[in-house]
């Protein structure tokens, strides 16, 4: 893989997405590239999975802005195809995603999206932080 220039961070409806944006910004800074934060909502669903969409969109906008990222929020019938199209449009070299809860290869978004993209597009998976158990 070539040195990343353009980084795409795929976010969901969770406020924990800030860790993904932060990681994308770290990578962007290391490679002097551009950062694109993307949220694609399935047609018919609330944009961010909440009835308070305005608050959720404002939160996402503020977090993206604070890290110097371009924010794109769209609705689509085919989320993967839309992500592919956005990756091509912005000449994305590296995609940052949160750790998937899907164990199986055929249901994993990285596998599905990877099959649609250029071979030289890389992925960085940000693990879910483990909460410490207080005894």
């Amino acid at each position: 893989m070539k040195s990343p220039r353009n980084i795409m961070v795929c976010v969901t409806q969770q406020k924990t997405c800030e860790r993904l944006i932060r990681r994308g910004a770290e990578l962007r800074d290391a490679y002097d590239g551009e950062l694109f934060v993307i949220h694609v909502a399935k047609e018919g669903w609330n944009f961010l999975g909440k009835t308070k969409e305005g608050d959720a969109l404002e939160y996402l906008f503020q977090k993206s802005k604070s890290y110097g990222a371009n924010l794109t929020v769209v609705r689509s019938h085919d989320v993967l195809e839309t992500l592919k199209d956005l990756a091509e449009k912005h000449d994305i070299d590296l995609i940052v995603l949160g750790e998937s809860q899907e164990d199986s290869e055929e249901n994993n978004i990285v596998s599905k999206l990877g099959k649609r993209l250029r071979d030289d597009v890389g992925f960085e998976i940000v693990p879910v932080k483990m909460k410490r158990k207080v005894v």
Side-chain angles (χ1 to χ4, degrees), residues 7-14 17 19-21 24 35-40 60 72 79-80 82-84 86-87 92 94-99 109 113 117 123-124 126:
I7 315 283
M8 182 167 92
V9 178
C10 299
V11 296
T12 63
Q13 69 272 18
Q14 300 170 355
C17 69
R19 79 185 198 289
L20 303 176
I21 298 169
L35 181 60
F36 300 89
V37 175
I38 310 292
H39 176 71
V40 180
L60 195 53
T72 301
V79 172
L80 289 172
T82 301
L83 289 173
K84 177 192 83 76
L86 289 167
I92 297 299
L94 182 65
I95 298 174
V96 176
L97 294 158
E99 186 175 32
I109 190 169
L113 186 55
L117 297 170
F123 288 92
E124 169 129 356
V126 179

PDB file of all heavy atoms in Angstrom, residues 7-14 17 19-21 24 35-40 60 72 79-80 82-84 86-87 92 94-99 109 113 117 123-124 126:
ATOM      1  N   ILE A   7      -7.794  10.050   3.870  1.00  0.00           N
ATOM      2  CA  ILE A   7      -8.308   9.116   4.861  1.00  0.00           C
ATOM      3  C   ILE A   7      -9.818   9.284   4.950  1.00  0.00           C
ATOM      4  O   ILE A   7     -10.311  10.406   5.063  1.00  0.00           O
ATOM      5  CB  ILE A   7      -7.703   9.402   6.264  1.00  0.00           C
ATOM      6  CG1 ILE A   7      -6.206   9.646   6.204  1.00  0.00           C
ATOM      7  CG2 ILE A   7      -8.129   8.345   7.263  1.00  0.00           C
ATOM      8  CD1 ILE A   7      -5.344   8.470   6.040  1.00  0.00           C
ATOM      9  N   MET A   8     -10.542   8.170   4.918  1.00  0.00           N
ATOM     10  CA  MET A   8     -11.996   8.191   5.090  1.00  0.00           C
ATOM     11  C   MET A   8     -12.332   7.470   6.390  1.00  0.00           C
ATOM     12  O   MET A   8     -11.906   6.329   6.588  1.00  0.00           O
ATOM     13  CB  MET A   8     -12.694   7.511   3.906  1.00  0.00           C
ATOM     14  CG  MET A   8     -14.208   7.547   3.990  1.00  0.00           C
ATOM     15  SD  MET A   8     -14.999   7.089   2.411  1.00  0.00           S
ATOM     16  CE  MET A   8     -15.198   5.336   2.641  1.00  0.00           C
ATOM     17  N   VAL A   9     -13.071   8.138   7.252  1.00  0.00           N
ATOM     18  CA  VAL A   9     -13.511   7.547   8.510  1.00  0.00           C
ATOM     19  C   VAL A   9     -15.005   7.276   8.389  1.00  0.00           C
ATOM     20  O   VAL A   9     -15.786   8.197   8.143  1.00  0.00           O
ATOM     21  CB  VAL A   9     -13.242   8.487   9.708  1.00  0.00           C
ATOM     22  CG1 VAL A   9     -13.762   7.877  10.994  1.00  0.00           C
ATOM     23  CG2 VAL A   9     -11.761   8.798   9.819  1.00  0.00           C
ATOM     24  N   CYS A  10     -15.394   6.029   8.549  1.00  0.00           N
ATOM     25  CA  CYS A  10     -16.798   5.645   8.483  1.00  0.00           C
ATOM     26  C   CYS A  10     -17.355   5.618   9.901  1.00  0.00           C
ATOM     27  O   CYS A  10     -16.850   4.882  10.750  1.00  0.00           O
ATOM     28  CB  CYS A  10     -16.949   4.270   7.838  1.00  0.00           C
ATOM     29  SG  CYS A  10     -16.326   4.210   6.155  1.00  0.00           S
ATOM     30  N   VAL A  11     -18.380   6.439  10.150  1.00  0.00           N
ATOM     31  CA  VAL A  11     -18.950   6.526  11.490  1.00  0.00           C
ATOM     32  C   VAL A  11     -20.393   6.043  11.487  1.00  0.00           C
ATOM     33  O   VAL A  11     -21.063   6.032  10.464  1.00  0.00           O
ATOM     34  CB  VAL A  11     -18.871   7.960  12.061  1.00  0.00           C
ATOM     35  CG1 VAL A  11     -17.425   8.386  12.237  1.00  0.00           C
ATOM     36  CG2 VAL A  11     -19.614   8.952  11.181  1.00  0.00           C
ATOM     37  N   THR A  12     -20.836   5.643  12.670  1.00  0.00           N
ATOM     38  CA  THR A  12     -22.207   5.187  12.863  1.00  0.00           C
ATOM     39  C   THR A  12     -22.921   6.153  13.798  1.00  0.00           C
ATOM     40  O   THR A  12     -22.462   7.270  14.007  1.00  0.00           O
ATOM     41  CB  THR A  12     -22.226   3.764  13.457  1.00  0.00           C
ATOM     42  OG1 THR A  12     -21.610   3.812  14.741  1.00  0.00           O
ATOM     43  CG2 THR A  12     -21.507   2.770  12.571  1.00  0.00           C
ATOM     44  N   GLN A  13     -23.998   5.676  14.376  1.00  0.00           N
ATOM     45  CA  GLN A  13     -24.826   6.522  15.223  1.00  0.00           C
ATOM     46  C   GLN A  13     -24.297   6.683  16.636  1.00  0.00           C
ATOM     47  O   GLN A  13     -24.884   7.373  17.434  1.00  0.00           O
ATOM     48  CB  GLN A  13     -26.262   5.971  15.270  1.00  0.00           C
ATOM     49  CG  GLN A  13     -26.411   4.658  16.008  1.00  0.00           C
ATOM     50  CD  GLN A  13     -26.206   3.433  15.143  1.00  0.00           C
ATOM     51  OE1 GLN A  13     -25.627   3.517  14.069  1.00  0.00           O
ATOM     52  NE2 GLN A  13     -26.662   2.286  15.601  1.00  0.00           N
ATOM     53  N   GLN A  14     -23.194   6.077  16.957  1.00  0.00           N
ATOM     54  CA  GLN A  14     -22.708   6.082  18.336  1.00  0.00           C
ATOM     55  C   GLN A  14     -21.776   7.252  18.600  1.00  0.00           C
ATOM     56  O   GLN A  14     -20.949   7.603  17.767  1.00  0.00           O
ATOM     57  CB  GLN A  14     -21.977   4.769  18.630  1.00  0.00           C
ATOM     58  CG  GLN A  14     -22.871   3.574  18.458  1.00  0.00           C
ATOM     59  CD  GLN A  14     -22.088   2.270  18.513  1.00  0.00           C
ATOM     60  OE1 GLN A  14     -20.873   2.269  18.581  1.00  0.00           O
ATOM     61  NE2 GLN A  14     -22.803   1.169  18.485  1.00  0.00           N
ATOM     62  N   CYS A  17     -17.929   7.315  18.172  1.00  0.00           N
ATOM     63  CA  CYS A  17     -17.270   7.514  16.883  1.00  0.00           C
ATOM     64  C   CYS A  17     -16.136   8.531  16.974  1.00  0.00           C
ATOM     65  O   CYS A  17     -15.285   8.574  16.091  1.00  0.00           O
ATOM     66  CB  CYS A  17     -18.261   7.913  15.811  1.00  0.00           C
ATOM     67  SG  CYS A  17     -18.958   9.554  16.032  1.00  0.00           S
ATOM     68  N   ARG A  19     -13.528   8.387  18.700  1.00  0.00           N
ATOM     69  CA  ARG A  19     -12.254   7.670  18.685  1.00  0.00           C
ATOM     70  C   ARG A  19     -11.831   7.349  17.252  1.00  0.00           C
ATOM     71  O   ARG A  19     -10.632   7.337  16.941  1.00  0.00           O
ATOM     72  CB  ARG A  19     -12.315   6.407  19.554  1.00  0.00           C
ATOM     73  CG  ARG A  19     -12.987   5.208  18.935  1.00  0.00           C
ATOM     74  CD  ARG A  19     -13.106   4.032  19.923  1.00  0.00           C
ATOM     75  NE  ARG A  19     -13.352   2.783  19.271  1.00  0.00           N
ATOM     76  CZ  ARG A  19     -14.494   2.433  18.679  1.00  0.00           C
ATOM     77  NH1 ARG A  19     -15.520   3.257  18.652  1.00  0.00           N
ATOM     78  NH2 ARG A  19     -14.615   1.247  18.106  1.00  0.00           N
ATOM     79  N   LEU A  20     -12.795   7.110  16.380  1.00  0.00           N
ATOM     80  CA  LEU A  20     -12.481   6.838  14.977  1.00  0.00           C
ATOM     81  C   LEU A  20     -11.993   8.105  14.280  1.00  0.00           C
ATOM     82  O   LEU A  20     -11.014   8.084  13.525  1.00  0.00           O
ATOM     83  CB  LEU A  20     -13.704   6.283  14.255  1.00  0.00           C
ATOM     84  CG  LEU A  20     -14.334   5.024  14.843  1.00  0.00           C
ATOM     85  CD1 LEU A  20     -15.584   4.654  14.070  1.00  0.00           C
ATOM     86  CD2 LEU A  20     -13.345   3.882  14.869  1.00  0.00           C
ATOM     87  N   ILE A  21     -12.684   9.208  14.536  1.00  0.00           N
ATOM     88  CA  ILE A  21     -12.292  10.482  13.928  1.00  0.00           C
ATOM     89  C   ILE A  21     -10.904  10.884  14.422  1.00  0.00           C
ATOM     90  O   ILE A  21     -10.062  11.335  13.647  1.00  0.00           O
ATOM     91  CB  ILE A  21     -13.337  11.576  14.233  1.00  0.00           C
ATOM     92  CG1 ILE A  21     -14.700  11.187  13.638  1.00  0.00           C
ATOM     93  CG2 ILE A  21     -12.879  12.926  13.684  1.00  0.00           C
ATOM     94  CD1 ILE A  21     -15.857  12.063  14.088  1.00  0.00           C
ATOM     95  N   GLY A  24      -8.347   8.808  12.639  1.00  0.00           N
ATOM     96  CA  GLY A  24      -8.224   9.294  11.268  1.00  0.00           C
ATOM     97  C   GLY A  24      -7.396  10.565  11.191  1.00  0.00           C
ATOM     98  O   GLY A  24      -6.563  10.733  10.296  1.00  0.00           O
ATOM     99  N   LEU A  35      -8.841  14.514   5.506  1.00  0.00           N
ATOM    100  CA  LEU A  35      -9.674  13.625   6.307  1.00  0.00           C
ATOM    101  C   LEU A  35     -11.140  13.831   5.946  1.00  0.00           C
ATOM    102  O   LEU A  35     -11.641  14.953   5.973  1.00  0.00           O
ATOM    103  CB  LEU A  35      -9.448  13.905   7.797  1.00  0.00           C
ATOM    104  CG  LEU A  35     -10.218  13.045   8.789  1.00  0.00           C
ATOM    105  CD1 LEU A  35      -9.873  11.565   8.626  1.00  0.00           C
ATOM    106  CD2 LEU A  35      -9.908  13.499  10.216  1.00  0.00           C
ATOM    107  N   PHE A  36     -11.807  12.727   5.616  1.00  0.00           N
ATOM    108  CA  PHE A  36     -13.218  12.739   5.261  1.00  0.00           C
ATOM    109  C   PHE A  36     -13.972  11.848   6.238  1.00  0.00           C
ATOM    110  O   PHE A  36     -13.679  10.663   6.327  1.00  0.00           O
ATOM    111  CB  PHE A  36     -13.423  12.217   3.832  1.00  0.00           C
ATOM    112  CG  PHE A  36     -12.696  13.025   2.794  1.00  0.00           C
ATOM    113  CD1 PHE A  36     -11.395  12.729   2.443  1.00  0.00           C
ATOM    114  CD2 PHE A  36     -13.332  14.101   2.176  1.00  0.00           C
ATOM    115  CE1 PHE A  36     -10.707  13.472   1.495  1.00  0.00           C
ATOM    116  CE2 PHE A  36     -12.659  14.854   1.219  1.00  0.00           C
ATOM    117  CZ  PHE A  36     -11.349  14.539   0.879  1.00  0.00           C
ATOM    118  N   VAL A  37     -14.922  12.432   6.958  1.00  0.00           N
ATOM    119  CA  VAL A  37     -15.772  11.666   7.864  1.00  0.00           C
ATOM    120  C   VAL A  37     -17.078  11.409   7.132  1.00  0.00           C
ATOM    121  O   VAL A  37     -17.715  12.341   6.624  1.00  0.00           O
ATOM    122  CB  VAL A  37     -16.028  12.420   9.189  1.00  0.00           C
ATOM    123  CG1 VAL A  37     -17.008  11.656  10.059  1.00  0.00           C
ATOM    124  CG2 VAL A  37     -14.709  12.641   9.925  1.00  0.00           C
ATOM    125  N   ILE A  38     -17.472  10.147   7.070  1.00  0.00           N
ATOM    126  CA  ILE A  38     -18.623   9.729   6.277  1.00  0.00           C
ATOM    127  C   ILE A  38     -19.618   8.976   7.154  1.00  0.00           C
ATOM    128  O   ILE A  38     -19.234   8.075   7.899  1.00  0.00           O
ATOM    129  CB  ILE A  38     -18.188   8.771   5.133  1.00  0.00           C
ATOM    130  CG1 ILE A  38     -17.015   9.336   4.328  1.00  0.00           C
ATOM    131  CG2 ILE A  38     -19.369   8.377   4.272  1.00  0.00           C
ATOM    132  CD1 ILE A  38     -17.315  10.549   3.509  1.00  0.00           C
ATOM    133  N   HIS A  39     -20.901   9.356   7.049  1.00  0.00           N
ATOM    134  CA  HIS A  39     -21.963   8.559   7.662  1.00  0.00           C
ATOM    135  C   HIS A  39     -23.016   8.322   6.586  1.00  0.00           C
ATOM    136  O   HIS A  39     -23.546   9.272   6.008  1.00  0.00           O
ATOM    137  CB  HIS A  39     -22.610   9.265   8.851  1.00  0.00           C
ATOM    138  CG  HIS A  39     -23.757   8.485   9.425  1.00  0.00           C
ATOM    139  ND1 HIS A  39     -23.565   7.318  10.129  1.00  0.00           N
ATOM    140  CD2 HIS A  39     -25.090   8.681   9.359  1.00  0.00           C
ATOM    141  CE1 HIS A  39     -24.751   6.830  10.486  1.00  0.00           C
ATOM    142  NE2 HIS A  39     -25.677   7.642  10.026  1.00  0.00           N
ATOM    143  N   VAL A  40     -23.266   7.065   6.298  1.00  0.00           N
ATOM    144  CA  VAL A  40     -24.294   6.703   5.317  1.00  0.00           C
ATOM    145  C   VAL A  40     -25.422   6.013   6.065  1.00  0.00           C
ATOM    146  O   VAL A  40     -25.218   4.987   6.709  1.00  0.00           O
ATOM    147  CB  VAL A  40     -23.736   5.775   4.216  1.00  0.00           C
ATOM    148  CG1 VAL A  40     -24.834   5.423   3.216  1.00  0.00           C
ATOM    149  CG2 VAL A  40     -22.551   6.427   3.509  1.00  0.00           C
ATOM    150  N   LEU A  60     -21.871  15.295  15.454  1.00  0.00           N
ATOM    151  CA  LEU A  60     -20.976  14.755  14.436  1.00  0.00           C
ATOM    152  C   LEU A  60     -20.266  15.882  13.681  1.00  0.00           C
ATOM    153  O   LEU A  60     -19.063  15.811  13.419  1.00  0.00           O
ATOM    154  CB  LEU A  60     -21.771  13.873  13.473  1.00  0.00           C
ATOM    155  CG  LEU A  60     -21.007  12.950  12.560  1.00  0.00           C
ATOM    156  CD1 LEU A  60     -20.034  12.069  13.315  1.00  0.00           C
ATOM    157  CD2 LEU A  60     -21.980  12.087  11.761  1.00  0.00           C
ATOM    158  N   THR A  72     -19.492  14.247   5.486  1.00  0.00           N
ATOM    159  CA  THR A  72     -20.522  13.913   4.506  1.00  0.00           C
ATOM    160  C   THR A  72     -21.521  12.992   5.184  1.00  0.00           C
ATOM    161  O   THR A  72     -21.133  11.971   5.761  1.00  0.00           O
ATOM    162  CB  THR A  72     -19.928  13.189   3.278  1.00  0.00           C
ATOM    163  OG1 THR A  72     -18.945  14.029   2.673  1.00  0.00           O
ATOM    164  CG2 THR A  72     -21.007  12.848   2.264  1.00  0.00           C
ATOM    165  N   VAL A  79     -25.689   1.024   1.100  1.00  0.00           N
ATOM    166  CA  VAL A  79     -24.668   1.685   1.907  1.00  0.00           C
ATOM    167  C   VAL A  79     -23.271   1.372   1.377  1.00  0.00           C
ATOM    168  O   VAL A  79     -22.433   2.273   1.224  1.00  0.00           O
ATOM    169  CB  VAL A  79     -24.798   1.296   3.398  1.00  0.00           C
ATOM    170  CG1 VAL A  79     -23.637   1.823   4.212  1.00  0.00           C
ATOM    171  CG2 VAL A  79     -26.127   1.805   3.955  1.00  0.00           C
ATOM    172  N   LEU A  80     -22.984   0.113   1.091  1.00  0.00           N
ATOM    173  CA  LEU A  80     -21.646  -0.264   0.620  1.00  0.00           C
ATOM    174  C   LEU A  80     -21.300   0.397  -0.718  1.00  0.00           C
ATOM    175  O   LEU A  80     -20.178   0.862  -0.909  1.00  0.00           O
ATOM    176  CB  LEU A  80     -21.520  -1.780   0.506  1.00  0.00           C
ATOM    177  CG  LEU A  80     -21.468  -2.533   1.830  1.00  0.00           C
ATOM    178  CD1 LEU A  80     -21.539  -4.032   1.594  1.00  0.00           C
ATOM    179  CD2 LEU A  80     -20.225  -2.178   2.613  1.00  0.00           C
ATOM    180  N   THR A  82     -22.487   3.189  -1.845  1.00  0.00           N
ATOM    181  CA  THR A  82     -22.292   4.612  -1.577  1.00  0.00           C
ATOM    182  C   THR A  82     -20.916   4.869  -0.963  1.00  0.00           C
ATOM    183  O   THR A  82     -20.226   5.818  -1.346  1.00  0.00           O
ATOM    184  CB  THR A  82     -23.406   5.144  -0.655  1.00  0.00           C
ATOM    185  OG1 THR A  82     -24.668   4.928  -1.309  1.00  0.00           O
ATOM    186  CG2 THR A  82     -23.237   6.619  -0.363  1.00  0.00           C
ATOM    187  N   LEU A  83     -20.496   4.014  -0.033  1.00  0.00           N
ATOM    188  CA  LEU A  83     -19.156   4.146   0.543  1.00  0.00           C
ATOM    189  C   LEU A  83     -18.088   3.982  -0.531  1.00  0.00           C
ATOM    190  O   LEU A  83     -17.104   4.727  -0.573  1.00  0.00           O
ATOM    191  CB  LEU A  83     -18.950   3.128   1.664  1.00  0.00           C
ATOM    192  CG  LEU A  83     -19.724   3.384   2.956  1.00  0.00           C
ATOM    193  CD1 LEU A  83     -19.563   2.213   3.915  1.00  0.00           C
ATOM    194  CD2 LEU A  83     -19.298   4.691   3.614  1.00  0.00           C
ATOM    195  N   LYS A  84     -18.277   3.016  -1.420  1.00  0.00           N
ATOM    196  CA  LYS A  84     -17.341   2.800  -2.536  1.00  0.00           C
ATOM    197  C   LYS A  84     -17.276   4.043  -3.411  1.00  0.00           C
ATOM    198  O   LYS A  84     -16.196   4.523  -3.750  1.00  0.00           O
ATOM    199  CB  LYS A  84     -17.757   1.595  -3.373  1.00  0.00           C
ATOM    200  CG  LYS A  84     -16.848   1.359  -4.590  1.00  0.00           C
ATOM    201  CD  LYS A  84     -17.415   0.354  -5.557  1.00  0.00           C
ATOM    202  CE  LYS A  84     -18.408   0.915  -6.499  1.00  0.00           C
ATOM    203  NZ  LYS A  84     -17.921   1.709  -7.615  1.00  0.00           N
ATOM    204  N   LEU A  86     -18.008   7.156  -2.660  1.00  0.00           N
ATOM    205  CA  LEU A  86     -17.363   8.260  -1.945  1.00  0.00           C
ATOM    206  C   LEU A  86     -15.855   8.049  -1.857  1.00  0.00           C
ATOM    207  O   LEU A  86     -15.077   9.001  -1.979  1.00  0.00           O
ATOM    208  CB  LEU A  86     -17.978   8.426  -0.551  1.00  0.00           C
ATOM    209  CG  LEU A  86     -19.400   8.979  -0.541  1.00  0.00           C
ATOM    210  CD1 LEU A  86     -20.034   8.817   0.845  1.00  0.00           C
ATOM    211  CD2 LEU A  86     -19.417  10.437  -0.978  1.00  0.00           C
ATOM    212  N   ALA A  87     -15.427   6.809  -1.653  1.00  0.00           N
ATOM    213  CA  ALA A  87     -13.998   6.504  -1.615  1.00  0.00           C
ATOM    214  C   ALA A  87     -13.342   6.827  -2.962  1.00  0.00           C
ATOM    215  O   ALA A  87     -12.245   7.397  -3.007  1.00  0.00           O
ATOM    216  CB  ALA A  87     -13.771   5.038  -1.242  1.00  0.00           C
ATOM    217  N   ILE A  92      -9.614   7.987  -1.950  1.00  0.00           N
ATOM    218  CA  ILE A  92      -9.257   7.517  -0.611  1.00  0.00           C
ATOM    219  C   ILE A  92      -8.195   6.435  -0.685  1.00  0.00           C
ATOM    220  O   ILE A  92      -8.279   5.513  -1.492  1.00  0.00           O
ATOM    221  CB  ILE A  92     -10.518   7.000   0.124  1.00  0.00           C
ATOM    222  CG1 ILE A  92     -11.534   8.132   0.327  1.00  0.00           C
ATOM    223  CG2 ILE A  92     -10.149   6.326   1.443  1.00  0.00           C
ATOM    224  CD1 ILE A  92     -11.055   9.295   1.164  1.00  0.00           C
ATOM    225  N   LEU A  94      -6.943   5.163   2.534  1.00  0.00           N
ATOM    226  CA  LEU A  94      -7.080   4.394   3.763  1.00  0.00           C
ATOM    227  C   LEU A  94      -8.446   4.671   4.386  1.00  0.00           C
ATOM    228  O   LEU A  94      -8.868   5.824   4.460  1.00  0.00           O
ATOM    229  CB  LEU A  94      -5.982   4.780   4.752  1.00  0.00           C
ATOM    230  CG  LEU A  94      -5.939   4.029   6.078  1.00  0.00           C
ATOM    231  CD1 LEU A  94      -5.616   2.554   5.862  1.00  0.00           C
ATOM    232  CD2 LEU A  94      -4.917   4.659   7.005  1.00  0.00           C
ATOM    233  N   ILE A  95      -9.125   3.608   4.808  1.00  0.00           N
ATOM    234  CA  ILE A  95     -10.438   3.724   5.434  1.00  0.00           C
ATOM    235  C   ILE A  95     -10.321   3.274   6.890  1.00  0.00           C
ATOM    236  O   ILE A  95      -9.804   2.194   7.166  1.00  0.00           O
ATOM    237  CB  ILE A  95     -11.492   2.875   4.694  1.00  0.00           C
ATOM    238  CG1 ILE A  95     -11.635   3.389   3.252  1.00  0.00           C
ATOM    239  CG2 ILE A  95     -12.827   2.908   5.434  1.00  0.00           C
ATOM    240  CD1 ILE A  95     -12.537   2.564   2.379  1.00  0.00           C
ATOM    241  N   VAL A  96     -10.807   4.130   7.793  1.00  0.00           N
ATOM    242  CA  VAL A  96     -10.799   3.833   9.219  1.00  0.00           C
ATOM    243  C   VAL A  96     -12.214   3.423   9.616  1.00  0.00           C
ATOM    244  O   VAL A  96     -13.172   4.147   9.347  1.00  0.00           O
ATOM    245  CB  VAL A  96     -10.349   5.061  10.049  1.00  0.00           C
ATOM    246  CG1 VAL A  96     -10.429   4.768  11.541  1.00  0.00           C
ATOM    247  CG2 VAL A  96      -8.938   5.475   9.656  1.00  0.00           C
ATOM    248  N   LEU A  97     -12.302   2.256  10.253  1.00  0.00           N
ATOM    249  CA  LEU A  97     -13.591   1.719  10.700  1.00  0.00           C
ATOM    250  C   LEU A  97     -13.466   1.237  12.136  1.00  0.00           C
ATOM    251  O   LEU A  97     -12.381   0.870  12.580  1.00  0.00           O
ATOM    252  CB  LEU A  97     -13.989   0.509   9.851  1.00  0.00           C
ATOM    253  CG  LEU A  97     -14.287   0.728   8.384  1.00  0.00           C
ATOM    254  CD1 LEU A  97     -14.130  -0.568   7.618  1.00  0.00           C
ATOM    255  CD2 LEU A  97     -15.689   1.261   8.227  1.00  0.00           C
ATOM    256  N   GLY A  98     -14.601   1.202  12.813  1.00  0.00           N
ATOM    257  CA  GLY A  98     -14.626   0.591  14.137  1.00  0.00           C
ATOM    258  C   GLY A  98     -14.659  -0.913  13.993  1.00  0.00           C
ATOM    259  O   GLY A  98     -15.052  -1.458  12.963  1.00  0.00           O
ATOM    260  N   GLU A  99     -14.226  -1.578  15.035  1.00  0.00           N
ATOM    261  CA  GLU A  99     -14.215  -3.037  15.057  1.00  0.00           C
ATOM    262  C   GLU A  99     -15.626  -3.575  14.837  1.00  0.00           C
ATOM    263  O   GLU A  99     -16.569  -3.132  15.480  1.00  0.00           O
ATOM    264  CB  GLU A  99     -13.675  -3.492  16.411  1.00  0.00           C
ATOM    265  CG  GLU A  99     -13.474  -4.964  16.551  1.00  0.00           C
ATOM    266  CD  GLU A  99     -12.810  -5.294  17.886  1.00  0.00           C
ATOM    267  OE1 GLU A  99     -13.047  -4.580  18.878  1.00  0.00           O
ATOM    268  OE2 GLU A  99     -12.062  -6.271  17.917  1.00  0.00           O
ATOM    269  N   ILE A 109     -18.175  -5.988   7.276  1.00  0.00           N
ATOM    270  CA  ILE A 109     -18.202  -4.845   6.360  1.00  0.00           C
ATOM    271  C   ILE A 109     -16.854  -4.620   5.675  1.00  0.00           C
ATOM    272  O   ILE A 109     -16.802  -4.222   4.524  1.00  0.00           O
ATOM    273  CB  ILE A 109     -18.682  -3.557   7.065  1.00  0.00           C
ATOM    274  CG1 ILE A 109     -18.936  -2.460   6.034  1.00  0.00           C
ATOM    275  CG2 ILE A 109     -17.698  -3.121   8.132  1.00  0.00           C
ATOM    276  CD1 ILE A 109     -19.645  -1.252   6.559  1.00  0.00           C
ATOM    277  N   LEU A 113     -16.792  -4.391   1.740  1.00  0.00           N
ATOM    278  CA  LEU A 113     -16.348  -3.143   1.118  1.00  0.00           C
ATOM    279  C   LEU A 113     -15.034  -3.345   0.370  1.00  0.00           C
ATOM    280  O   LEU A 113     -14.857  -2.833  -0.735  1.00  0.00           O
ATOM    281  CB  LEU A 113     -16.200  -2.052   2.188  1.00  0.00           C
ATOM    282  CG  LEU A 113     -15.878  -0.646   1.703  1.00  0.00           C
ATOM    283  CD1 LEU A 113     -16.904  -0.165   0.675  1.00  0.00           C
ATOM    284  CD2 LEU A 113     -15.810   0.310   2.887  1.00  0.00           C
ATOM    285  N   LEU A 117     -13.495  -2.161  -3.733  1.00  0.00           N
ATOM    286  CA  LEU A 117     -12.534  -1.067  -3.868  1.00  0.00           C
ATOM    287  C   LEU A 117     -11.275  -1.491  -4.616  1.00  0.00           C
ATOM    288  O   LEU A 117     -11.018  -2.678  -4.796  1.00  0.00           O
ATOM    289  CB  LEU A 117     -12.137  -0.567  -2.476  1.00  0.00           C
ATOM    290  CG  LEU A 117     -13.253   0.029  -1.641  1.00  0.00           C
ATOM    291  CD1 LEU A 117     -12.786   0.256  -0.213  1.00  0.00           C
ATOM    292  CD2 LEU A 117     -13.747   1.335  -2.249  1.00  0.00           C
ATOM    293  N   PHE A 123      -7.194  -0.601   5.059  1.00  0.00           N
ATOM    294  CA  PHE A 123      -8.159  -0.456   6.154  1.00  0.00           C
ATOM    295  C   PHE A 123      -7.407  -0.398   7.477  1.00  0.00           C
ATOM    296  O   PHE A 123      -6.428  -1.112   7.663  1.00  0.00           O
ATOM    297  CB  PHE A 123      -9.121  -1.659   6.200  1.00  0.00           C
ATOM    298  CG  PHE A 123     -10.118  -1.669   5.086  1.00  0.00           C
ATOM    299  CD1 PHE A 123      -9.837  -2.335   3.904  1.00  0.00           C
ATOM    300  CD2 PHE A 123     -11.326  -1.024   5.218  1.00  0.00           C
ATOM    301  CE1 PHE A 123     -10.758  -2.359   2.868  1.00  0.00           C
ATOM    302  CE2 PHE A 123     -12.253  -1.040   4.185  1.00  0.00           C
ATOM    303  CZ  PHE A 123     -11.961  -1.705   3.016  1.00  0.00           C
ATOM    304  N   GLU A 124      -7.876   0.439   8.357  1.00  0.00           N
ATOM    305  CA  GLU A 124      -7.396   0.450   9.735  1.00  0.00           C
ATOM    306  C   GLU A 124      -8.619   0.224  10.612  1.00  0.00           C
ATOM    307  O   GLU A 124      -9.586   0.988  10.548  1.00  0.00           O
ATOM    308  CB  GLU A 124      -6.721   1.770  10.096  1.00  0.00           C
ATOM    309  CG  GLU A 124      -6.469   1.883  11.574  1.00  0.00           C
ATOM    310  CD  GLU A 124      -5.049   2.252  11.942  1.00  0.00           C
ATOM    311  OE1 GLU A 124      -4.195   2.365  11.050  1.00  0.00           O
ATOM    312  OE2 GLU A 124      -4.816   2.433  13.136  1.00  0.00           O
ATOM    313  N   VAL A 126     -10.219   0.141  14.238  1.00  0.00           N
ATOM    314  CA  VAL A 126     -10.004   0.664  15.591  1.00  0.00           C
ATOM    315  C   VAL A 126     -10.805  -0.207  16.552  1.00  0.00           C
ATOM    316  O   VAL A 126     -12.036  -0.276  16.461  1.00  0.00           O
ATOM    317  CB  VAL A 126     -10.456   2.136  15.687  1.00  0.00           C
ATOM    318  CG1 VAL A 126     -10.256   2.671  17.102  1.00  0.00           C
ATOM    319  CG2 VAL A 126      -9.695   2.982  14.670  1.00  0.00           C
TER     320      VAL A 126
END
